[in-house]
Amino acid sequence: MSLDTKVEELKAILQPILEQHDFFLVDLELVHEHGDWYLRVYADKKGGISIDDCAVISEEYGEKLDELDPIEPAYYLEVSSPGAERPLKNDESLTNYVDDYVHVSLYQKLNGEKAFEGTLTQVTDTEITLIVKVKNLKKQVEISRKNIAKIRLAIEF
């Protein structure tokens, strides 16, 4: 079984636990570092995730993993917040952060720019819409999702 397939299986086991508590998955990775395996879960919820929330996920997911035993080698389970300027890697993350401030890096220039910061106002299958400030004026920008190299939450100053 490939690592990608294993990660998808681990996500499927985790998803009901997250939904039960109104959390959502930001990322899950199974990595081999310094001779050890790590299963890292990055979860969030509207308003932010707390240490206590991470403990709930760790306990419930750990029990389910012990029961099902889907990972053959020994591993460490780590559950944490993805951080203040976390990347938005999937449709669920994008949808969950509509109305939040984001930084978008592009593959090709749009309106002479390769990066934009603004409020994410809409997400479709083909594009996102931002409201950006240009010389103290607000402007709407539509960006093709195919042109997005990276999108992450940002802190607005």
Side-chain angles (χ1 to χ4, degrees):
M1 178 181 290
S2 76
L3 188 58
D4 288 341
T5 303
K6 179 57 69 178
V7 166
E8 290 306 312
E9 176 187 353
L10 294 168
K11 286 179 182 178
I13 295 166
L14 175 60
Q15 198 59 43
I17 295 166
L18 297 177
E19 289 173 1
Q20 177 184 350
H21 298 285
D22 293 323
F23 303 139
F24 56 89
L25 183 64
V26 174
D27 200 9
L28 182 145
E29 58 186 15
L30 181 61
V31 295
H32 192 251
E33 294 177 353
H34 311 292
D36 291 315
W37 283 94
Y38 294 87
L39 175 56
R40 294 192 177 116
V41 174
Y42 301 96
D44 206 357
K45 69 177 183 184
K46 276 294 189 190
I49 196 162
S50 70
I51 291 173
D52 291 338
D53 294 332
C54 291
V56 166
I57 296 167
S58 181
E59 183 177 323
E60 292 184 19
Y61 191 39
E63 287 175 6
K64 194 67 172 174
L65 291 172
D66 288 345
E67 174 189 324
L68 298 174
D69 200 22
I71 304 173
E72 193 168 306
Y75 62 93
Y76 295 97
L77 174 61
E78 298 176 350
V79 178
S80 67
S81 160
E85 292 194 342
R86 62 188 135 277
L88 305 179
K89 295 185 174 185
N90 55 43
D91 288 343
E92 184 179 17
S93 289
L94 284 171
T95 302
N96 284 326
Y97 291 106
V98 167
D99 297 327
D100 285 356
Y101 196 76
V102 297
H103 177 89
V104 182
S105 300
L106 305 178
Y107 290 116
Q108 297 176 350
K109 288 183 179 183
L110 175 66
N111 302 330
E113 302 290 331
K114 279 196 82 172
F116 292 90
E117 280 198 6
T119 302
L120 179 63
T121 59
Q122 186 176 17
V123 177
T124 70
D125 290 340
T126 57
E127 68 181 20
I128 65 166
T129 304
L130 299 179
I131 300 295
V132 299
K133 289 181 185 174
V134 179
K135 298 180 182 178
N136 293 326
L137 298 173
K138 291 184 178 181
K139 177 181 169 186
Q140 182 172 304
V141 177
E142 289 87 21
I143 301 172
S144 167
R145 290 185 61 178
K146 289 180 181 178
N147 194 22
I148 297 173
K150 185 176 183 181
I151 183 169
R152 64 172 170 77
L153 292 180
I155 297 171
E156 185 175 10
F157 293 98

